[in-house]
Amino acid sequence: MSERTLDGTSPPTPIIDGAWRVVRALAPFIFLGAAWQVASLFFPAFLFPSLVAVFWRCLDILEQWSQFVDVLYTVGRILAGLAGAFIIGAVLALMMARSKLVDGFLSPILTFFQGIPALSWVVFAIIWFHGVEFRIFFIMVLTTLPAFTFQIVSALRAMSKDLVEMVMSFRPSRVQMFRTLILPSILPEILTAWKVNLGNASRVVVVAELVGATGGVGYQLLQQQQIFDMAGALAWTLQLVFFVLIVQYILTLIENFAFRYRAISERSL
Amino acid sequence: MTMTDTAPPARPEIRFEHVSKTFGRVGATDLFRAVDDLNLEIGSGELVAILGKTGCGKSTMFNMIAGLLEPSAGKVEVSGHDPFAQFNWFRGKIAIVFQNDRLLPWRTAIENVAFGLEMLDVPKAERMASAQAWLTKLGLGGHENDYPHALSGGMRQRVSIARAFATNANILLCDEPFSALDEMTGNRLREEFARLVRENGKTAVFITHSINEALQIGDRIVVLRRPAKIAYDTRLGRDADHGAKEDIRARIQAVLAE
């Protein structure tokens, strides 16, 4: 006997359910692609090239090592900048959470840094430093450091006082305290900070490479602009977007694994 | 006036000597006195219920025994040591059952029970075996791998009791651990708790604001007035009959009404 719901209809099968989820996930991109393709029918190729041309340019970049290495350069710069900002930010955040004096001193400086546009850091870096890689690293760190720091400080302060007391009652070592309570407590905010900063960093790195680098996606975009190659510009941009999507997906997988203990309500917000 | 019908214990495990605790601005007039010249001795193996109205300083006193607060004046000694100044000396010697379960949400029931042993660097296999045994003893067999959100309030509190007992600490501190549970679950857990304390020869301090709970659980009942100072101190005896308990209840009610 087949299973039926209260209103007499058959429940959705897993395959239909899965397919529906894929369609929902892809729908916004299909819409964007369709709009672009329609535009390409009415405008010249140097303004709106067809998606087929863009696709072949994307494939070209992925196939040719001499081009793909530029994508890797940019990815490396983003990850190095984010890792640097994260490590420095974590140390600063721990100091700020432990001492009101340090907090009162560092908070205004970081807020001040937050107000400085990324392009200004690019200019400062070009004036101050010679090495291209160090310039980009400096820009990446300075632009993402405040967000990392504030997010970790906020997570440390939001830690449950009850749980801190409970753990303290067992007299843990500092390492045990960090491993068993602090890290799991602040991990959700750390992952959120990485997700937010990843998007910011991918935008900033392009600006930094556009002005001061001899390789990378930003440099390649400058080349496409000089030869008015819209398909190329779009293909290089998409490389960066793909990278962001892949890393976001990896972060989501980490979240799903790390936070598997969370209760899931059957009624959504 | 202090009413007492208890002789001081031969070998005090916990000792308060003229202890006071104040909170607020130093040198200002708005200091809040939570504990006032408290003298108390608790013997080894005693199960003492500390009873008092809300805000009478029970938890402050509790936190001083736990080493989480420092007395403003006087001396607190636990096993002959200062629990605040010699905080780390008490590793594995004091275990606490809090008012709410305070389970780590990212750990399963068995991992929560094993937590205290992990802090004592007990090898993993050994601590998991011990945690399993305590879960089974407290009727939670089959729930080892459940996360706290999947357990009921009573089950979570049982996990926290198992966590406290698993470390085999000599001194157990309990801060109204069953107050948030329904009456039936609370009664059952109280009985289980008292049985485990007696079977394992622990010294236990049980904070409560319920006369019934104090009568049900304590070998000795200490009633505090506000700010924390002993108003009444009596020893029940484990086989105290209904009449004796009712007599003590009437005295406690009279003291609390003062």
Side-chain angles (χ1 to χ4, degrees), chain B residues 90-238:
Chain B
F90 288 92
R91 258 188 132 199
K93 295 183 176 74
I94 293 180
I96 302 179
V97 186
F98 294 94
Q99 193 167 16
N100 46 4
D101 55 75
R102 302 195 187 187
L103 300 182
L104 296 173
W106 48 84
R107 288 185 168 229
T108 59
I110 194 165
E111 287 167 345
N112 266 291
V113 176
F115 181 77
L117 295 171
E118 189 180 332
M119 297 299 100
L120 296 172
D121 299 319
V122 174
K124 189 172 181 182
E126 203 179 314
R127 66 177 186 251
M128 293 313 252
S130 173
Q132 176 67 64
W134 276 105
L135 279 175
T136 308
K137 208 176 276 191
L138 281 155
L140 287 169
H143 292 283
E144 296 83 359
N145 297 316
D146 287 348
Y147 285 101
H149 75 78
L151 301 172
S152 70
M155 290 160 100
R156 284 202 296 269
Q157 198 56 287
R158 265 190 254 181
V159 173
S160 80
I161 292 170
R163 180 178 61 194
F165 275 99
T167 57
N168 201 23
N170 277 332
I171 298 166
L172 278 174
L173 305 178
C174 311
D175 188 6
E176 303 185 40
F178 311 125
S179 61
L181 303 177
D182 66 82
E183 202 177 329
M184 275 181 66
T185 311
N187 279 337
R188 204 173 56 242
L189 284 184
R190 247 171 246 128
E191 278 167 18
E192 278 178 18
F193 174 81
R195 181 178 56 79
L196 288 170
V197 167
R198 282 160 192 151
E199 275 177 12
N200 293 278
K202 309 287 181 198
T203 303
V205 177
F206 195 99
I207 302 278
T208 179
H209 61 257
S210 155
I211 300 176
N212 284 338
E213 186 167 60
L215 286 167
Q216 187 183 351
I217 214 162
D219 299 335
R220 180 180 165 194
I221 299 175
V222 173
V223 182
L224 298 181
R225 68 161 64 97
R226 194 183 302 159
K229 193 169 185 171
I230 297 177
Y232 181 51
D233 184 354
T234 188
R235 192 162 274 121
L236 249 80
R238 285 174 195 175

Side-chain angles (χ1 to χ4, degrees), chain A residues 72-142:
Chain A
L72 294 182
Y73 265 129
T74 301
V75 167
R77 285 164 180 159
I78 292 173
L79 294 178
L82 285 176
F86 172 67
I87 291 166
I88 298 168
V91 172
L92 294 181
L94 280 170
M95 286 160 58
M96 287 163 76
R98 282 176 70 94
S99 159
K100 279 189 177 173
L101 195 72
V102 176
D103 182 31
F105 180 77
L106 287 179
S107 274
I109 294 175
L110 290 169
T111 309
F112 178 76
F113 280 7
Q114 248 180 338
I116 298 174
L119 198 57
S120 301
W121 285 118
V122 174
V123 175
F124 300 160
I126 290 171
I127 295 170
W128 285 340
F129 308 114
H130 284 296
V132 170
E133 292 309 322
F134 187 75
R135 275 181 194 163
I136 295 173
F137 181 73
F138 173 82
I139 296 160
M140 301 301 292
V141 168
L142 267 293

Side-chain angles (χ1 to χ4, degrees), chain A residues 161-163 165-173 176-177 179-182 184-185 258 260-264, chain B residues 66-67 83 87-88 90-91 94 96 98 100 102-107 115-116 118-119 121 147 149 163 167:
Chain A
K161 185 175 167 285
D162 280 359
L163 290 185
E165 270 184 6
M166 185 282 290
V167 174
M168 284 302 289
S169 76
F170 287 102
R171 274 81 174 162
S173 65
Q176 284 175 325
M177 182 81 179
R179 187 173 52 78
T180 59
L181 179 70
I182 298 175
S185 295
R260 63 195 181 283
Y261 61 85
R262 285 179 171 171
I264 298 164
Chain B
F87 189 75
N88 285 327
F90 288 92
R91 258 188 132 199
I94 293 180
I96 302 179
F98 294 94
N100 46 4
R102 302 195 187 187
L103 300 182
L104 296 173
W106 48 84
R107 288 185 168 229
F115 181 77
E118 189 180 332
M119 297 299 100
D121 299 319
Y147 285 101
H149 75 78
R163 180 178 61 194
T167 57

Side-chain angles (χ1 to χ4, degrees), chain A residues 36-50:
Chain A
W36 184 278
Q37 192 59 28
V38 170
S40 74
L41 299 175
F42 297 97
F43 292 95
F46 71 91
L47 290 180
F48 286 92
S50 81

Side-chain angles (χ1 to χ4, degrees), chain B residues 24-40:
Chain B
R25 285 189 292 146
V26 178
T29 50
D30 57 349
L31 285 174
F32 171 70
R33 185 170 287 268
V35 178
D36 182 28
D37 195 31
L38 178 68
N39 289 293
L40 175 67

